[in-house]
Amino acid sequence: MVLARQTARAQTGNYGGRLARVRMVYEVTDQEEGEDFYYVTLSFRPEGDYQGRLGREQFFISKVGEVVDRQV
């Protein structure tokens, strides 16, 4: 969970043009442990008062602690 949040903050995903420079708030919505990876899903939204739909981003983290892939 911590690595997924740190990565999301440090290297923002491709959230679309109008959100490119907006600070985001992240919350863990799901986490699973598979045979080879940990799967962590974060919801994200712009910081502040936001009334729209939350985005979702999934992280694939190896058992040695490396973010292998992520998808928005």
Side-chain angles (χ1 to χ4, degrees):
M1 290 181 343
V2 173
L3 181 58
R5 280 184 162 169
Q6 288 174 337
T7 302
R9 286 187 190 115
Q11 303 166 5
T12 55
N14 184 7
Y15 304 139
R18 65 179 201 170
L19 297 176
R21 290 187 169 41
V22 176
R23 288 179 53 106
M24 296 290 177
V25 175
Y26 299 94
E27 182 178 328
V28 175
T29 58
D30 191 35
Q31 58 185 351
E32 293 179 39
E33 182 176 352
E35 189 173 316
D36 298 320
F37 300 99
Y38 298 105
Y39 305 96
V40 179
T41 303
L42 302 180
S43 67
F44 62 89
R45 65 172 177 78
E47 193 174 64
D49 188 26
Y50 178 72
Q51 301 299 317
R53 288 181 42 187
L54 300 178
R56 292 175 53 97
E57 185 166 10
Q58 188 173 34
F59 290 79
F60 302 83
I61 302 171
S62 72
K63 296 284 181 144
V64 296
E66 179 182 325
V67 176
V68 177
D69 195 14
R70 65 194 277 194
Q71 53 186 315
V72 177

